[in-house]
Amino acid sequence: MKKLVIAASLVVFGTAAASAADLAPSYYKAPPPMLSPLYNWSGFYAGINGGWGTSHNCWTRTATAGAAVLPVSEGCHDASGGTVGGQLGYRWQAGPWVFGLEAQGNWADFRGSNPSLLFGGLATNRTKIDAFGLFTGQVGYAWNNVLAYVKGGAAVTDNRFDGLSTIGGFVTDTAGSNTKWGGTVGAGIEYAFAPNWSAAVEYDHLFMGSDNYAFNTAGLATRNESIKQDADLVTVRVNYRFGGPVVARY
């Protein structure tokens, strides 16, 4: 009898334990966290830009009709206007740091003039910048799809320097079109709004230095001018990046 009671008790206990196990909550391993994309700035890119620029030009007379004279200032003026162009470059990214090389070429319409201080306002000196180019290296820091960068390198401007008659406005002498080389530094901030598209705002300063130019009229030497030039540019840029996949991260 005693054995029957023990056996019955074991059966009841086992049934109850099994029922309790069925009622106990089940625990599952949490799913892995969602992956968020990390923008990668590496790769070749090409784009367009447009904006505004101004150059500051100071003229100093150094010769008249081929004969050297003591340098005399003829005054300064700003040549300002619009610009549009394109850029081509390559970037590579190491952690949050981004390094790059870029070539940029722009058409420009920067114009300005001032009456010469030598002739009581009867003669006017005029500067026109028709184009410029920038060849730069870049260093930037990225916050995912936002990139802040600085740049520096070489700059070149295509200029035309003319003398005008203040009365009538006709050209009295000219140095023609000239290429002027210098340096540039700049900074910008760029935002990637799609996997391969980005937009930026950029500022550049051009240090073009001083160069001497010979003026003539009808082939006859009229004067020499040492012209010092620098420029400031503000442009909006849109780039398309080739390659450089978006990398997943936790």
Side-chain angles (χ1 to χ4, degrees), residues 3 5 7 16 27 31 34 39 69 83 85 89 98 114 213 218 224 231-232:
K3 292 181 179 180
V5 172
Y27 295 95
M34 295 293 292
Y39 194 84
V69 298
T83 180
V98 179
N114 72 282
Y213 299 95
N224 283 47
D232 295 282

Side-chain angles (χ1 to χ4, degrees), residues 144-228:
N144 196 9
N145 62 331
V146 177
L147 174 66
Y149 61 89
V150 294
K151 61 189 293 187
V156 58
T157 57
D158 184 34
N159 306 271
R160 184 174 180 87
F161 302 115
D162 297 311
L164 308 176
S165 170
T166 302
I167 301 173
F170 56 88
V171 175
T172 56
D173 62 355
T174 182
S177 295
N178 295 271
T179 299
K180 189 175 179 69
W181 284 89
T184 181
V185 294
I189 187 162
E190 190 162 349
Y191 173 71
F193 58 87
N196 292 86
W197 290 94
S198 60
V201 177
E202 183 176 296
Y203 164 78
D204 298 288
H205 182 78
L206 279 57
F207 304 88
M208 304 310 295
S210 298
D211 288 296
N212 194 66
Y213 299 95
F215 284 68
N216 68 84
T217 182
L220 299 176
T222 56
R223 55 177 166 151
N224 283 47
E225 298 282 346
S226 175
I227 301 176
K228 184 178 185 298

Side-chain angles (χ1 to χ4, degrees), residues 9 26 49 52 54 63 78 104 106 135 146 155 158 170 223-224 239 246:
S9 298
S26 299
N49 72 79
W52 175 87
T54 182
D78 292 332
Q104 175 181 337
N106 277 51
F135 306 93
V146 177
D158 184 34
F170 56 88
R223 55 177 166 151
N224 283 47
N239 288 325
V246 173

Side-chain angles (χ1 to χ4, degrees), residues 8-182:
S9 298
L10 291 174
V11 171
V12 171
F13 178 78
T15 303
S19 299
D22 291 339
L23 295 174
S26 299
Y27 295 95
Y28 301 94
K29 184 179 180 181
M34 295 293 292
L35 298 178
S36 61
L38 177 63
Y39 194 84
N40 188 337
W41 291 91
S42 298
F44 288 97
Y45 65 91
I48 59 174
N49 72 79
W52 175 87
T54 182
S55 72
H56 190 64
N57 304 271
C58 292
W59 295 39
T60 301
R61 177 75 66 98
T62 59
T64 298
V69 298
L70 290 176
V72 180
S73 173
E74 293 202 45
C76 303
H77 57 262
D78 292 332
S80 304
T83 180
V84 63
Q87 60 275 350
L88 178 67
Y90 180 80
R91 287 172 173 152
W92 58 96
Q93 186 167 353
W97 294 98
V98 179
F99 305 91
L101 296 171
E102 182 182 276
Q104 175 181 337
N106 277 51
W107 167 86
D109 187 24
F110 303 165
R111 299 168 180 251
S113 62
N114 72 282
S116 171
L117 300 179
L118 283 180
F119 300 102
L122 295 178
T124 296
N125 293 323
R126 181 178 68 185
T127 300
K128 296 171 60 180
I129 296 181
D130 299 316
F132 64 86
L134 307 178
F135 306 93
T136 55
Q138 297 182 2
V139 178
Y141 192 90
W143 294 269
N144 196 9
N145 62 331
V146 177
L147 174 66
Y149 61 89
V150 294
K151 61 189 293 187
V156 58
T157 57
D158 184 34
N159 306 271
R160 184 174 180 87
F161 302 115
D162 297 311
L164 308 176
S165 170
T166 302
I167 301 173
F170 56 88
V171 175
T172 56
D173 62 355
T174 182
S177 295
N178 295 271
T179 299
K180 189 175 179 69
W181 284 89

